[in-house]
Amino acid sequence: MPDHSAAEMLADDPESGPNAGAYPTADLPPHQRQAWSQDELSQLISRYEGQLLAYARRMLNGDWQAAQDAVQETFLRLCREEREKIVSRVQPWLFAVCRSRVIDMQRTRHAHPIDAAEITVQDPHPDAATAALAAEQTHATENRLAVLVERLSGRQQEVLRLRMQAGLSYREIADVTGLTVSNVGFHLHAAVRALKDAVATT
């Protein structure tokens, strides 16, 4: 797929214009359907595209092109989703859709199901698209912390990044990952404790 941003993809998509989201549903008559406005979509892309790209790229072992594909498809699906169903929880919905798409891509590649928690996560090289992770690459101490994060389990890394970088709540992380809220808290606390212990001994 060409190297386009999600905004460019949506601008070229006939279903993301003024009538985006106006799809027949079983529970809403046509006059009650609510579509996303172009301004709303642009704002959502501007706000979340970088976070989603960083998240997808880490799950895909640094594959930038595949991460772009996953994020573009996530926003295209947003255009087709009924606004009123997800407007109050857009951020966790985007991360959940993106995560599901990445897992589907991994299944296609490897011809067998992949648990996202078991995917080896690697830090990408610095570039503009990973601005959300720039702090890890700016200072030596933060680079050291990034190395320590890589030593955590896949599940701990995922919940830590969703919490610290995406700013999701425990409930939203649970919705994205399929964990219970208690398990999210357990993995987060375990990750923080492991990082503290590692910093103290290095």
Side-chain angles (χ1 to χ4, degrees):
M1 180 178 289
D3 187 1
H4 297 307
S5 70
E8 292 170 330
M9 290 288 293
L10 295 179
D12 294 336
D13 182 18
E15 294 177 339
S16 66
N19 296 320
Y23 296 93
T25 62
D27 55 345
L28 284 177
H31 69 278
Q32 290 184 0
R33 294 184 200 128
Q34 203 171 15
W36 297 98
S37 71
Q38 195 63 48
D39 284 345
E40 284 179 315
L41 291 173
S42 296
Q43 289 173 9
L44 291 172
I45 291 170
S46 176
R47 183 172 182 180
Y48 296 121
E49 184 177 26
Q51 294 178 13
L52 290 167
L53 283 168
Y55 178 65
R57 187 174 183 178
R58 285 177 176 277
M59 289 182 68
L60 289 162
N61 295 327
D63 188 333
W64 167 239
Q65 186 62 60
Q68 280 190 310
D69 291 347
V71 172
Q72 287 167 359
E73 291 191 32
T74 298
F75 280 111
L76 287 173
R77 181 171 166 187
L78 175 68
C79 293
R80 295 166 171 79
E81 192 71 17
E82 292 175 30
R83 182 184 181 280
E84 62 275 9
K85 287 186 176 180
I86 63 169
V87 67
S88 64
R89 54 183 181 92
V90 171
Q91 186 183 24
W93 184 91
L94 287 170
F95 274 92
V97 171
C98 185
R99 184 179 194 269
S100 177
R101 178 56 190 151
V102 167
I103 292 173
D104 286 344
M105 293 169 73
Q106 291 286 358
R107 286 175 177 154
T108 300
R109 286 181 178 181
H110 300 284
H112 61 80
I114 297 294
D115 182 350
E118 298 175 355
I119 298 173
T120 301
V121 181
Q122 299 176 351
D123 276 327
H125 296 295
D127 59 44
T130 55
L133 304 174
E136 288 183 354
Q137 302 157 343
T138 303
H139 305 292
T141 55
E142 291 173 337
N143 285 336
R144 183 164 64 98
L145 180 60
V147 171
L148 296 176
V149 169
E150 295 299 333
R151 297 176 183 172
L152 300 174
S153 70
R155 182 68 81 187
Q156 289 173 344
Q157 289 184 43
E158 182 175 25
V159 296
L160 186 66
R161 295 185 197 286
L162 288 171
R163 178 63 175 170
M164 303 304 295
Q165 293 170 351
L168 298 185
S169 69
Y170 281 32
R171 168 53 63 190
E172 290 169 336
I173 295 172
D175 290 342
V176 170
T177 61
L179 296 170
T180 65
V181 173
S182 295
N183 281 338
V184 169
F186 171 81
H187 287 298
L188 279 171
H189 293 154
V192 171
R193 184 172 63 250
L195 289 176
K196 286 181 177 179
D197 291 345
V199 169
T201 57
T202 55

